[in-house]
Amino acid sequence: MPSLTRRSLVLAAGAALAACSGIPLRSLPRLAQLSGQMLDANPAHFMVALQVDARLTPPAAAVPYLQLKLTPKVAGAFEPVDKKLPLAMSSTGGATLGLDAPGPGRRWLVYSLPPATQAELQRVQNMVRRAQAQPGYQRGGTLALGVEQNDLAVADPALAHTKWSTWMQVKQSEGFFEIWNGTPEEIQKLK
């Protein structure tokens, strides 16, 4: 995508995000860069960290999903993508990843892309690169990203109003940044 087109799309998305509750204003500059970074990111560095009440225990098989929707500006320029890529619980703790220690009664749940999901993200990245390299390619399109965490927010009703913070890392060298904060109850309403 030409940088001007990408920038226009991202700025429009950033303005829309600012209107959504739960998205920290300080995160908007990083979110504005996200679509370009994801197409060039090393999938092994992508991680999601959730800071939750220490009493919260997610259901056994529940994981967050990276939602990835890529739509070409010109139909047929490249294959559209609409995927939910599962993440897996990471064995690495929050402190070793540069995350601040959680406060009293809080804990980190850290997720990364497992090998199969990394390969799928690389396939999408390579598809876009091949399309961009074609002579006469009509550059442009939209990339929408999200982290679906509804299945994790199923909690004891006593925890429904506790604080829940979602953090993302795209590049290991840049570390994590907060992309959303709210409560498990608010996550369930986002379905």
Side-chain angles (χ1 to χ4, degrees), residues 50-52 56 149 152-153 162-166 180-182 184 187:
L50 310 174
Q51 192 184 96
V52 298
L56 189 132
Q149 46 198 331
L152 295 168
T162 59
K163 184 179 177 188
W164 182 293
S165 298
T166 304
W180 188 84
N181 61 59
I187 291 172

Side-chain angles (χ1 to χ4, degrees), residues 85-106:
L85 305 175
L87 287 93
M89 180 67 81
S90 175
S91 59
T92 307
T96 61
L97 296 170
L99 293 163
D100 291 337
R106 310 278 302 151

